[in-house]
C-alpha cells in the first residue's frame, strides 16, 4: 500500500469519526429541545385548562400564578412564617446530611458484605431485620429520642437512603467477573488487593444506581418527616399550605422539590461520569 493511499484512508477515518461526533451532538441537542418542548407544552395545556375553566382555579392554580408566587415567596414569609430560601436551605441541610451519611456508611457496608463471607454472615441478619421497616415508621421513636431538630430528621432520611445504597453495592460486587478474580489470584494478588482493584471498580455501576434510588428516597422521606415534625422546610411549607387552604403554596413546594431533584440528579450524573470514565 502506497503512502498516499494510507494518508487518504487516515483522512477518511478521521472524517468518519468527526461525522459520528457531530451526529451525536446533533442528536443530543435535538433530544434537549424535545424535552424543553414537552415541558412547555404541559405548562401551556395546564394554563389553558385553568383559564378555560376545565380545572377549578380554586383547587388548581395556573402555572402563571405559581411562577408569580415563586418570586414573591423569596421576600414574603406569609402564610407559613418563612421565606422560600429559608425553607430550601433547611430541607437541603437535612436531606444532604442524611444522604451523604447513607453513602459513607451504606456503600462500604454493602461492598464488605458482598465480598467477605464472614462479615456477611455477621451483618446480614441484622440488615435483613432492619431492611423491611418503612423509614416513616421511625419518625415517632426518633422524635422521642432526638426531638424535632436536624439530627432527628437527618436520621430518618439516612435510614431511607441507607438501604438502597447497601443493597446495590452488595449486588454490584457480587457480580464481579470470576475470570478476572481467577487471573488476579494466578498473578499472586491477595484477596484484599483483588477486592480493592477489581471488586470495587466492578461494583461502581450498580452502586451509582443505588445512590440514584437513595437520592429519591431521601427527598420523599424528608418531606414526610417535615410534614409531621418540623417548623421549617419545604415539607413544612406544603403542610402549612394545606392548613391554610392554599393549593398554590402546596404546588410551589412540590415544584421546588422537583427542580432540586433534577439538579442533584444532574450533579450525580457528572460525578458518575468522572468515576466511571474508564468504562467508556
Amino acid at each position: 500500500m502506497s503512502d498516499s493511499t494510507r494518508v487518504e484512508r487516515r483522512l477518511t477515518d478521521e472524517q468518519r469519526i468527526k461525522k459520528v461526533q457531530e451526529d451525536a451532538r446533533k442528536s443530543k441537542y435535538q433530544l434537549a429541545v424535545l424535552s424543553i418542548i414537552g415541558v412547555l407544552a404541559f405548562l401551556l395545556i395546564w394554563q389553558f385548562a385553568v383559564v378555560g375553566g376545565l380545572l377549578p382555579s380554586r383547587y388548581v392554580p395556573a402555572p402563571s400564578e405559581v411562577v408569580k408566587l415563586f418570586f414573591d415567596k423569596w421576600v414574603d414569609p406569609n402564610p407559613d412564617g418563612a421565606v422560600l430560601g429559608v425553607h430550601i436551605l433547611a430541607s437541603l441541610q437535612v436531606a444532604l446530611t442524611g444522604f451523604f451519611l447513607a453513602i459513607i456508611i451504606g456503600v462500604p457496608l454493602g461492598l464488605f458484605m458482598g465480598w467477605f463471607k464472614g462479615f456477611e454472615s455477621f451483618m446480614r441478619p441484622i440488615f435483613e431485620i432492619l431492611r423491611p421497616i418503612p423509614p416513616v415508621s421511625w419518625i415517632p421513636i426518633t422524635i422521642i429520642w432526638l426531638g424535632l431538630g436536624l439530627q432527628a430528621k437527618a436520621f430518618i432520611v439516612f435510614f431511607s437512603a441507607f438501604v438502597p445504597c447497601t443493597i446495590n453495592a452488595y449486588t454490584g460486587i457480587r457480580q464481579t467477573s470470576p475470570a478476572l478474580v481467577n487471573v488476579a489470584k494466578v498473578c499472586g494478588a491477595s484477596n484484599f488487593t483483588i477486592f480493592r482493584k477489581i471488586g470495587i471498580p466492578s461494583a461502581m455501576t450498580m452502586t451509582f444506581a443505588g445512590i440514584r434510588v437513595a437520592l429519591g428516597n431521601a427527598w420523599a422521606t424528608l418531606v414526610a418527616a417535615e410534614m409531621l415534625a418540623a417548623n421549617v422546610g419545604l415539607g413544612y411549607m406544603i403542610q402549612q399550605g394545606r392548613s391554610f387552604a392554599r393549593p398554590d403554596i402546596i404546588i410551589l413546594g412540590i415544584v421546588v422539590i422537583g427542580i432540586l431533584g433534577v439538579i442533584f440528579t444532574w450533579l450525580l450524573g457528572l460525578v458518575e461520569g468522572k468515576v466511571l470514565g474508564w468504562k467508556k
Side-chain angles (χ1 to χ4, degrees):
M1 184 182 296
S2 64
D3 292 340
S4 61
T5 303
R6 291 194 184 95
V7 171
E8 290 176 359
R9 178 171 293 182
R10 187 180 305 157
L11 290 173
T12 303
D13 292 340
E14 289 177 355
Q15 290 172 352
R16 288 174 181 170
I17 293 172
K18 288 182 180 179
K19 187 176 185 304
V20 170
Q21 292 175 342
E22 289 176 0
D23 291 343
R25 283 194 293 267
K26 288 180 180 178
S27 176
K28 187 176 181 180
Y29 173 76
Q30 290 172 351
L31 292 174
V33 170
L34 284 174
S35 298
I36 295 172
I37 292 174
V39 173
L40 292 177
F42 172 76
L43 293 176
L44 285 174
I45 292 172
W46 178 5
Q47 179 77 24
F48 290 140
V50 175
V51 173
L54 297 176
L55 294 175
S57 58
R58 180 181 177 184
Y59 302 110
V60 184
S64 57
E65 295 177 6
V66 177
V67 172
K68 181 179 181 299
L69 178 63
F70 173 79
F71 291 104
D72 292 342
K73 200 74 179 72
W74 286 100
V75 294
D76 185 6
N78 296 316
D80 46 79
V83 296
L84 184 59
V86 173
H87 288 306
I88 292 175
L89 289 176
S91 292
L92 284 177
Q93 185 181 20
V94 175
L96 294 181
T97 300
F99 177 64
F100 284 123
L101 281 175
I103 294 175
I104 293 170
I105 298 174
V107 171
L109 178 65
L111 294 174
F112 277 94
M113 285 175 56
W115 192 265
F116 299 100
K117 300 297 182 183
F119 188 75
E120 179 186 11
S121 299
F122 177 77
M123 289 299 303
R124 186 69 180 268
I126 301 173
F127 179 76
E128 289 299 329
I129 292 172
L130 296 176
R131 182 172 64 88
I133 302 174
V136 292
S137 66
W138 289 93
I139 293 176
I141 191 67
T142 303
I143 293 174
I144 295 175
W145 288 344
L146 303 174
L148 302 178
L150 170 64
Q151 293 179 340
K153 289 175 286 188
F155 173 78
I156 297 166
V157 171
F158 160 79
F159 194 85
S160 68
F162 165 76
V163 172
C165 285
T166 305
I167 290 176
N168 279 58
Y170 172 87
T171 304
I173 204 165
R174 289 295 294 266
Q175 294 176 352
T176 303
S177 171
L180 294 177
V181 175
N182 291 333
V183 169
K185 288 180 178 179
V186 170
C187 294
S190 66
N191 186 42
F192 187 77
T193 300
I194 299 172
F195 165 72
R196 183 168 57 89
K197 294 189 175 182
I198 296 178
I200 293 177
S202 298
M204 282 298 100
T205 301
M206 283 292 294
T207 299
F208 272 101
I211 292 173
R212 288 180 181 273
V213 175
L215 181 61
N217 287 1
W219 277 108
T221 309
L222 169 70
V223 172
E226 288 182 339
M227 290 177 70
L228 293 175
N231 52 19
V232 71
L234 293 171
Y236 175 78
M237 187 178 79
I238 292 172
Q239 174 67 16
Q240 292 299 104
R242 184 193 69 83
S243 300
F244 289 104
R246 290 282 303 273
D248 53 342
I249 294 286
I250 297 173
I251 292 179
L252 175 62
I254 293 171
V255 170
V256 171
I257 290 170
I259 293 172
L260 290 174
V262 170
I263 292 172
F264 281 105
T265 300
W266 174 72
L267 292 175
L268 183 60
L270 293 180
V271 174
E272 183 177 1
K274 293 291 185 181
V275 173
L276 300 181
W278 57 274
K279 283 195 170 186
K280 297 181 180 179

